[in-house]
Amino acid sequence: MENVRPGSFRAWLLLPRFHFIPLTVILVSLGTAIAAYEGSLHWGYFGLALVGSILVHVTVNVMNDYHDYKDGIDLNTRRTPFSGGSGVLPLSLLKPRQAFWFATLSLVAATIIGVYFVLIKGWLLLPLLLVAGFSAYFYNVCLSRWMVGELFAGLNFGPLVILGAYYIQTGRYSWEALFASITPGILTANLLFLNEFPDREADEEGGRRHLVIALGREGARYVYVILTAISYLCIVIGVLTRMMPVMTLIGLGTVVLGWKAARGAWRYHNDLNRLTPILGINVITILGTQALLTVGYVLAAVMVS
């Protein structure tokens, strides 16, 4: 960051935090893979849905940076590679209004894509788009202050993205697709949840209210471990109830990493130096599990074709 010039192209590239975008790519791919498993696949729709979803994710990241800077959170928090924002605004690499309009234009572009899909695929897609748009734009203003930030993070980067990608392919919803989206939703909520551990004091001072603030790190570690266990249990239940194909059991391939992340969060919840590597393991666990579920559906689709 020391070598980045204010207003430079590199500063603009740092602002959206593109290293978190693979989450959206995987989730859109998962929703599409579920549809392909059921016999529906349109590559053009997949590509356009991916662009729209990435634009929404960019809106979330940049708007988060904007409000955290305005509220003073990013001026007081301890940045890690996985939490604490991009650092672009606190270092004056860009102006806050530039970030605000970047996020706004990203959401406008995503809205245009969303309207297109509503017109060609049906109005049942609209409720998902409205919830996603509201959450992206007003997360910091409302949701992060109402004790529902983790819930909406898991809802948006879980069921909404997956069901949206699925609907774009099939023109309908299904209980199977909904159940398959539960594990990714829980994992995404856990991604935000553990990343809130280092930011607890700064978030509280900035007016946020979330579970780590309410429970303290000592209590929050219980929730993190339980959610990690439930995410894997849902895969097993999905296969046993035939809501998910047997091949999705490969999603359990990250159990060892999940165990390491849970053990690390349990032990080092108050030791932020030792917790930082655990944040990295958590990211790998979450992205890895979601990616393996996608691969499982792709393999299942190939087997039934």
Side-chain angles (χ1 to χ4, degrees), residues 23 27 131 135 139 143 148-162 178 181-193 227 290:
L23 172 65
L27 294 177
V131 174
S135 302
Y139 174 84
L143 303 179
V148 292
E150 299 92 347
L151 173 64
F152 272 85
L155 178 65
N156 281 275
F157 293 100
L160 290 191
V161 173
I162 293 170
L178 176 61
S181 71
I182 293 176
T183 289
I186 293 173
L187 290 171
T188 302
N190 242 10
L191 175 62
L192 173 64
F193 189 50
L227 288 177
Q290 295 169 344

Side-chain angles (χ1 to χ4, degrees), residues 116-178:
Y116 169 75
F117 278 125
V118 169
L119 292 176
I120 67 170
K121 301 300 291 189
W123 291 96
L124 288 177
L125 183 63
L126 185 60
L128 269 67
L129 299 180
L130 291 176
V131 174
F134 173 82
S135 302
Y137 209 70
F138 294 102
Y139 174 84
N140 288 79
V141 178
C142 305
L143 303 179
S144 67
R145 300 173 183 272
W146 294 348
M147 289 285 293
V148 292
E150 299 92 347
L151 173 64
F152 272 85
L155 178 65
N156 281 275
F157 293 100
L160 290 191
V161 173
I162 293 170
L163 288 175
Y166 174 86
Y167 184 90
I168 285 169
Q169 295 291 334
T170 64
R172 61 183 175 84
Y173 297 114
S174 73
W175 290 110
E176 290 80 6
L178 176 61

Side-chain angles (χ1 to χ4, degrees), residues 2 6 22 33 75 80 111 134 137 155 210 241:
E2 296 82 4
L75 299 175
T80 75
T111 300
F134 173 82
Y137 209 70
L155 178 65
H210 51 64
T241 59

Side-chain angles (χ1 to χ4, degrees), residues 16-33:
R17 285 179 279 168
F18 283 116
H19 55 288
F20 285 117
I21 299 302
L23 172 65
T24 293
V25 175
I26 292 170
L27 294 177
V28 174
S29 300
L30 176 55
T32 304

